Amino acid sequence: MEPRNNTKFSKLLLLGLSEEIELQSLISGLFLSMYLITVFGNLLIILAVSSGSHLHTSMYFFLSNLSFVDICFISTTIPKMLWNIQMQSQVITYEGCITQMCFYILFGALDDFLLAVMAYDRYVAICHPLHYTVIMNPWLCGCLVLVSWVISATYSLLHSLMVLHLSFCSDLEIHHFFCETKQLVQLACYDTFLNNTTLCFGAVIMGGGPLTGILYSYSKIVSSICGISSAHGKYKAFSTCVYHLSIVFLFYFSGLGVYLSSAATHSSHSSATGSVMYTVVTPILNPFIYSLRNKDIKRALKRLFGMETFIKGPFSLGLKKCP
């Protein structure tokens, strides 16, 4: 195939999850529903945290940031896929593809770092409860989020600039539902050893670094919980970590599953299907995991929608209950 410089073409093709026409309506309806649920659910968490004064703590500050990032993360891929299905088109512009890839890497890396920051927050809360408010002060919380943004943005720009210097062949079909970095690199005509090395090195650093921090934090948490004498105290301490552990498990194991399945089968279709787990399923489960059994979030949501006053009924107006 003849090499083509990236300035000589303006469009690529996103082949999506399936090329079967009869499945497009089903895929469109399913992903539209999941997208709306994800956006609405994570917006509710942000509103609950911002409106409930009892939720103005570092734990919920990080949670609201995670919800915002999840909204942005899913919004980089799903709307374009839905638009293409609706318009019966597979086209994405070269500029749009690079932009989508850039923001996808940015918000994916932010998810990674925020999960590590939240693990550190749980470590301080359980292992140093008397100094929790002093250590996790607003200045430190803001700095941790800011540093996460800076590192993620730098990592995203690095990959974007490296892809911009690639020259592509005449085959411009991406076997995915979004512009994934590995898929773009595979379209290049000449040796992509540097890009592949950067991808592997970046995955180890950006994935392994935060994961190491999470594992270290929870090793200290487990050690601290084992030192608590009462069973009720152990349950209460561990229950504050269950929600975060569930999200960590989903995010990392779905990403690891995609990597292992694509390495074993060398199938772009299986990789695209597996990517749905961490690009769609994890963001949609975040609000469910944190709101269904979290009493603080549920109370804030009831107060937000006025349900608390409605449930109290006449007794909230000062009327006495009948004997």
Side-chain angles (χ1 to χ4, degrees), residues 191-204:
D191 184 26
T192 57
F193 174 77
L194 180 61
N195 293 81
N196 288 323
T197 303
T198 306
L199 279 173
C200 293
F201 184 73
V204 171

Side-chain angles (χ1 to χ4, degrees), residues 61-287:
F61 170 71
F62 296 134
L63 175 59
S64 61
N65 275 274
L66 182 67
S67 294
F68 172 74
V69 170
D70 278 342
I71 292 173
C72 297
F73 188 41
I74 196 172
S75 296
T76 59
T77 57
I78 302 304
K80 178 58 181 174
M81 185 186 75
L82 295 174
W83 175 260
N84 280 2
I85 293 175
Q86 185 66 29
M87 301 304 294
Q88 297 183 354
S89 170
Q90 296 177 323
V91 173
I92 184 171
T93 63
Y94 176 74
E95 293 79 9
C97 189
I98 296 298
T99 303
Q100 186 184 63
M101 184 196 70
C102 181
F103 282 106
Y104 170 79
I105 296 173
L106 169 64
F107 294 119
L110 268 171
D111 253 341
D112 206 7
F113 278 103
L114 285 175
L115 288 174
V117 168
M118 292 172 76
Y120 175 70
D121 175 74
R122 291 299 84 209
Y123 157 72
V124 176
I126 294 173
C127 299
H128 306 282
L130 298 178
H131 302 93
Y132 177 63
T133 54
V134 177
I135 297 174
M136 300 304 295
N137 57 74
W139 185 86
L140 178 62
C141 293
C143 284
L144 289 172
V145 172
L146 179 61
V147 169
S148 299
W149 274 91
V150 170
I151 296 175
S152 300
T154 304
Y155 179 68
S156 175
L157 287 173
L158 172 65
H159 276 295
S160 300
L161 290 173
M162 292 190 71
V163 171
L164 281 171
H165 286 85
L166 292 176
S167 293
F168 297 94
C169 302
S170 56
D171 182 13
L172 300 175
E173 294 181 347
I174 300 175
H175 297 268
H176 220 297
F177 64 94
F178 66 92
C179 291
E180 201 258 343
T181 312
K182 185 179 178 182
Q183 295 286 329
L184 275 173
V185 172
Q186 288 176 349
L187 294 179
C189 285
Y190 64 87
D191 184 26
T192 57
F193 174 77
L194 180 61
N195 293 81
N196 288 323
T197 303
T198 306
L199 279 173
C200 293
F201 184 73
V204 171
I205 298 299
M206 300 297 287
L211 181 59
T212 301
I214 292 171
L215 293 176
Y216 175 79
S217 296
Y218 275 104
S219 68
K220 293 293 185 180
I221 289 171
V222 170
S223 177
S224 180
I225 290 176
C226 290
I228 300 175
S229 56
S230 67
H232 176 71
K234 290 181 179 180
Y235 172 79
K236 187 176 180 181
F238 184 74
S239 63
T240 62
C241 305
V242 171
Y243 313 113
H244 177 256
L245 274 174
S246 302
I247 297 296
V248 169
F249 179 84
L250 281 169
F251 185 82
Y252 278 99
F253 278 86
S254 59
L256 182 63
V258 171
Y259 175 78
L260 292 177
S261 63
S262 61
T265 62
H266 300 284
S267 172
S268 299
H269 178 72
S270 62
S271 175
T273 305
S275 298
V276 175
M277 280 299 296
Y278 65 88
T279 57
V280 180
V281 176
T282 301
I284 198 175
L285 288 179
N286 179 30

